[in-house]
Amino acid sequence: MAFKRPKIALIGGGQIGGVLAQLSALRELGDVVMFDIVEDMPQGKTLDIGEASRVDGFDIELKGTNEYKGIEGSDVVIVTAGLPRKPGMSRDDLLTKNAGIMKQVAEGIRDYAPDSYVIVISNPLDAMVTLMKEVTGFPTNRVFGQAGVLDSSRFSSFIAWELGVSVKDVNALVLGGHGDTMVPLVRYANVNGAPVMELLERKYGDANKAKEVMDAIVERTRKAGGEVVGLLKTGSAFYSPASAAIAMTEALLRDQKRVLPVCAFLQGEYNVNDMYLGVPAIIGGDGVEKVVELSLNEEEGKMLDNSVEAVKKLLEDMKRLGFL
C-alpha cells in the first residue's frame, strides 16, 4: 500500500497565506499548494519558504499556482481570499466584493477539490462560511470557519498578561459571531481550574475593581483585530489568524479530537437552527464531529442571542444582495 502526505491548499497568497504555508511546512502537516490570482506571487512565496527547508529541517513540497487546477486532490483547503474594508467603502460594497470573490473560490474548490475539508478565514466570517457551504454543497462537517480559536487565544493572552501567569495555564472561551457581538465567557475562564474572577479579586482586593478590569479585557478582546489594524496602519492581523487556522488543520489531519471554538453549523444547539455560529466543537478526522454545548446563564444567553441576531442581519444582507 502506497502512503502519501496530505495536501493542503491555501487560497490567497497574502500575509496570512504566507504564514500558513510556513507553519504548515514547519509542522510538516502536508504538501502545500498556494493559489493566488497575482501572477508569480504564490510561486515566489512558496519557493522562498521551500529554500529554507534544510535550515528549518522540514520535508514537504511547496508549490504556487495561478490556476484552480493546481489545488486538485487537496485534503484541506484554507481560504483567506478577500479584501479589507477601504476608506469610503460602504458595508454593502465590502460584502458584495468579498461575496463575489468567495463564490468564485467556492466554485473552484467544488470543481477541483470535491473531497476536501474547507476552513474559511475570510471576513465577514459567518457570512463567508455560509456562502462557501451553499456554493460547494459540501456536508456541514466539512465546511467551517476560523474565528473562535483566535478570539479565545486573544482573550486568554490578555488574562495571562493581567495576572502575570503562563498563558499555557489559562483556559478561556469566546462564543458567537466574529465581530463586536462576540461573547467572551468570563464565568468559565480559569487558570488551571482557578476561576479568573477569584484571582482578580485577590489581586486587587476589591470585587468592583476586578469586574472593571475584566470588563476592559472583554472589550479589548472584542476590539482586538481593530487594535492591530490601528497599530499597523496598513494591513491587519496575519500571524495570529494563521496560527489559529493551523491549530484547526492539525486537529483535523491528525484526528486529535480537540475541543476548539469554531464557526460551525448549528442544528438546534444553543437554540440556534440551520445557521453558522462560533461555538466549541470537537475537531477530528471527520472535521466538525460534534458541537459541545455549554450551560449559559441568563446574561450569557442574552449576549449570545444578540450575536445570533447580528449574524442573521449579515445573512439577510447577503440574500438582499443576491448571494444566498
Side-chain angles (χ1 to χ4, degrees), residues 14-16 83-87 154 224-239 241:
Q15 294 273 48
I16 296 179
L83 300 172
R85 188 166 176 174
K86 297 175 182 175
R154 286 168 166 166
E227 183 180 0
V228 173
V229 170
L231 291 167
L232 290 176
K233 305 295 189 293
T234 56
S236 56
F238 56 93
Y239 188 83

Coordinates of all heavy atoms in Angstrom, one line a residue, residues 14-16 83-87 154 224-239 241:
G14 N -1.6 36.2 0.4 CA -1.3 37.4 1.1 C -0.5 37.1 2.4 O 0.2 36.1 2.5
Q15 N -0.6 38.0 3.3 CA 0.2 37.9 4.6 C -0.2 36.6 5.3 O 0.6 35.9 5.8 CB 0.0 39.1 5.5 CG 0.5 40.4 4.9 CD 2.0 40.6 5.3 OE1 2.8 39.7 5.2 NE2 2.3 41.8 5.9
I16 N -1.5 36.4 5.4 CA -2.0 35.2 6.2 C -1.6 33.9 5.4 O -1.1 33.0 6.0 CB -3.5 35.2 6.4 CG1 -3.9 36.4 7.3 CG2 -4.0 33.9 7.0 CD1 -5.4 36.5 7.5
L83 N -11.0 41.1 0.4 CA -10.5 42.4 0.5 C -10.7 43.0 1.9 O -11.8 42.8 2.5 CB -11.1 43.3 -0.5 CG -10.9 42.9 -2.0 CD1 -11.8 43.8 -2.9 CD2 -9.5 43.0 -2.4
P84 N -9.8 43.8 2.4 CA -10.1 44.6 3.6 C -11.0 45.8 3.3 O -11.0 46.2 2.1 CB -8.7 45.0 4.1 CG -7.9 45.1 2.9 CD -8.5 44.1 1.9
R85 N -11.7 46.3 4.3 CA -12.5 47.5 4.0 C -11.6 48.7 3.8 O -10.7 49.0 4.7 CB -13.5 47.7 5.2 CG -14.5 48.8 4.9 CD -15.6 48.7 5.9 NE -16.6 49.8 5.8 CZ -17.7 49.9 6.5 NH1 -18.0 48.9 7.4 NH2 -18.6 50.9 6.3
K86 N -11.9 49.5 2.8 CA -11.1 50.7 2.5 C -11.9 51.9 2.8 O -13.1 51.9 2.9 CB -10.7 50.6 1.0 CG -9.8 49.5 0.7 CD -9.5 49.4 -0.8 CE -8.6 48.2 -1.2 NZ -8.4 48.0 -2.6
P87 N -11.1 53.0 3.0 CA -11.8 54.3 3.3 C -12.9 54.6 2.2 O -12.6 54.5 1.0 CB -10.7 55.3 3.3 CG -9.5 54.6 3.6 CD -9.7 53.2 3.0
R154 N -6.7 35.4 22.0 CA -6.6 36.8 22.4 C -7.1 37.0 23.9 O -6.4 37.6 24.7 CB -7.3 37.7 21.4 CG -6.6 37.8 20.1 CD -7.5 38.5 19.1 NE -6.8 38.9 17.9 CZ -7.3 39.2 16.7 NH1 -8.6 39.2 16.6 NH2 -6.5 39.6 15.7
A224 N -9.9 43.5 19.4 CA -8.5 43.2 19.2 C -8.1 43.3 17.8 O -6.9 43.8 17.5 CB -8.3 41.7 19.7
G225 N -8.9 42.9 16.8 CA -8.5 43.0 15.4 C -8.3 44.4 15.0 O -7.3 44.8 14.4
G226 N -9.2 45.3 15.5 CA -9.0 46.7 15.2 C -7.8 47.4 15.8 O -7.2 48.3 15.3
E227 N -7.5 46.9 17.0 CA -6.3 47.4 17.7 C -5.0 47.1 16.9 O -4.2 48.0 16.7 CB -6.1 46.7 19.1 CG -5.0 47.3 19.9 CD -4.9 46.6 21.3 OE1 -5.7 45.8 21.6 OE2 -3.9 47.0 22.0
V228 N -4.9 45.9 16.3 CA -3.8 45.6 15.5 C -3.8 46.4 14.2 O -2.7 46.9 13.8 CB -3.8 44.1 15.1 CG1 -2.7 43.7 14.1 CG2 -3.6 43.2 16.4
V229 N -4.9 46.6 13.6 CA -5.0 47.4 12.4 C -4.6 48.8 12.7 O -3.8 49.4 11.9 CB -6.5 47.4 11.9 CG1 -6.6 48.5 10.8 CG2 -6.9 46.0 11.3
G230 N -5.0 49.4 13.8 CA -4.6 50.7 14.2 C -3.2 50.9 14.4 O -2.6 52.0 14.0
L231 N -2.5 49.9 14.9 CA -1.0 50.0 15.1 C -0.3 49.7 13.8 O 0.7 50.4 13.6 CB -0.6 48.9 16.2 CG -1.1 49.2 17.6 CD1 -0.9 48.0 18.5 CD2 -0.4 50.4 18.2
L232 N -0.7 48.8 13.0 CA 0.0 48.5 11.7 C -0.2 49.7 10.7 O 0.7 49.8 9.8 CB -0.5 47.2 11.1 CG -0.2 45.9 11.8 CD1 -0.8 44.7 11.2 CD2 1.3 45.7 11.9
K233 N -1.3 50.4 10.8 CA -1.6 51.5 9.8 C -2.0 50.9 8.5 O -3.0 51.4 7.9 CB -0.4 52.4 9.7 CG 0.1 53.0 11.0 CD -0.9 53.9 11.7 CE -0.3 54.7 12.8 NZ 0.1 53.9 14.0
T234 N -1.2 50.0 7.9 CA -1.6 49.4 6.6 C -1.7 47.9 6.8 O -0.6 47.3 7.2 CB -0.6 49.7 5.5 OG1 0.7 49.3 5.9 CG2 -0.6 51.2 5.2
G235 N -2.8 47.3 6.6 CA -2.9 45.8 6.8 C -3.6 45.5 8.1 O -3.9 46.4 8.9
S236 N -3.8 44.2 8.3 CA -4.4 43.7 9.5 C -3.7 42.5 10.0 O -2.6 42.1 9.5 CB -5.9 43.3 9.2 OG -5.9 42.4 8.1
A237 N -4.2 41.9 11.1 CA -3.5 40.8 11.8 C -3.3 39.7 10.8 O -4.2 39.4 10.0 CB -4.3 40.3 13.0
F238 N -2.2 39.0 10.8 CA -1.9 37.9 9.9 C -1.3 36.7 10.6 O -1.6 35.6 10.3 CB -1.1 38.3 8.7 CG 0.2 39.0 9.1 CD1 1.4 38.2 9.1 CD2 0.3 40.3 9.3 CE1 2.6 38.8 9.4 CE2 1.6 40.9 9.5 CZ 2.7 40.2 9.6
Y239 N -0.4 37.0 11.6 CA 0.3 35.8 12.3 C -0.7 35.0 13.1 O -0.9 33.8 13.0 CB 1.5 36.3 13.1 CG 2.2 35.0 13.6 CD1 3.2 34.4 12.8 CD2 1.9 34.5 14.9 CE1 3.8 33.3 13.2 CE2 2.6 33.3 15.3 CZ 3.5 32.7 14.5 OH 4.1 31.6 14.9
P241 N -4.2 34.9 13.2 CA -5.2 34.2 12.5 C -4.7 32.9 11.8 O -5.3 31.9 11.8 CB -5.7 35.2 11.4 CG -5.3 36.5 11.9 CD -4.1 36.3 12.7

